[in-house]
Amino acid sequence: MEEIQQEEKKHNGNDIFHIKEKIYEMILYGNPQLKDFPKTERYVLAGDIRKTMYTMLEMAVRLEKKYHKKTTLQDLDIEVDVLRNLLRLAKDPNLYPNQKPCLNFHTWEVWMRKVDEIGRMIGGYSEWVNGRERQK
């Protein structure tokens, strides 16, 4: 019993909310990159990317406060996937064939590493939550 309480404290304490900190770091990296988008996409594609990142941060805060986390975790995982696809679209040279892509390859690569790390953290936490539900 004491072992389960310690495990739950580890996951409900500050340990798991590195997810929130990683999302915050990603936003600090990504927002300046959005300013360099071409005028045609600065308010649409860049706005959607910014909105998705802020939604992820909001969901991480909600996740920290909720007791039942499964649905919020799934929603957060969906937002991560949406962000991956928006970033992929931003670096695609075929979006506007006569212009350079909104994101250069290096910027996209660094940003995607941050997104992938967040996705792995969410996946690990989801496994822990699902395992805890099976034990009950």
Side-chain angles (χ1 to χ4, degrees), residues 15-103:
D15 199 35
I16 61 130
F17 289 98
H18 289 296
I19 294 172
K20 183 173 68 173
E21 292 304 314
K22 291 294 181 180
I23 292 170
Y24 187 84
E25 289 172 15
M26 178 192 62
I27 290 171
L28 291 180
Y29 175 79
N31 263 343
Q33 310 304 326
L34 297 175
K35 290 180 182 176
D36 295 334
F37 272 45
K39 193 175 185 179
T40 53
E41 289 297 338
R42 194 169 301 144
Y43 301 104
V44 181
L45 183 57
D48 287 348
I49 291 170
R50 185 176 292 114
K51 183 175 140 267
T52 302
M53 291 191 303
Y54 291 164
T55 301
M56 287 170 60
L57 183 62
E58 179 185 339
M59 286 181 174
V61 170
R62 290 180 190 280
L63 187 62
E64 187 176 26
K65 303 293 182 188
K66 283 189 171 185
Y67 179 76
H68 298 289
K69 301 175 185 299
K70 192 172 182 180
T71 306
T72 308
L73 265 172
Q74 290 170 341
D75 291 343
L76 183 55
D77 192 40
I78 290 168
E79 289 298 317
V80 168
D81 202 35
V82 168
L83 182 59
R84 276 189 185 110
N85 283 287
L86 289 171
L87 292 174
R88 180 178 165 217
L89 185 62
K91 76 118 178 118
D92 193 335
N94 296 324
L95 183 62
Y96 293 105
N98 298 330
Q99 296 178 2
K100 67 177 186 164
C102 300
L103 290 174

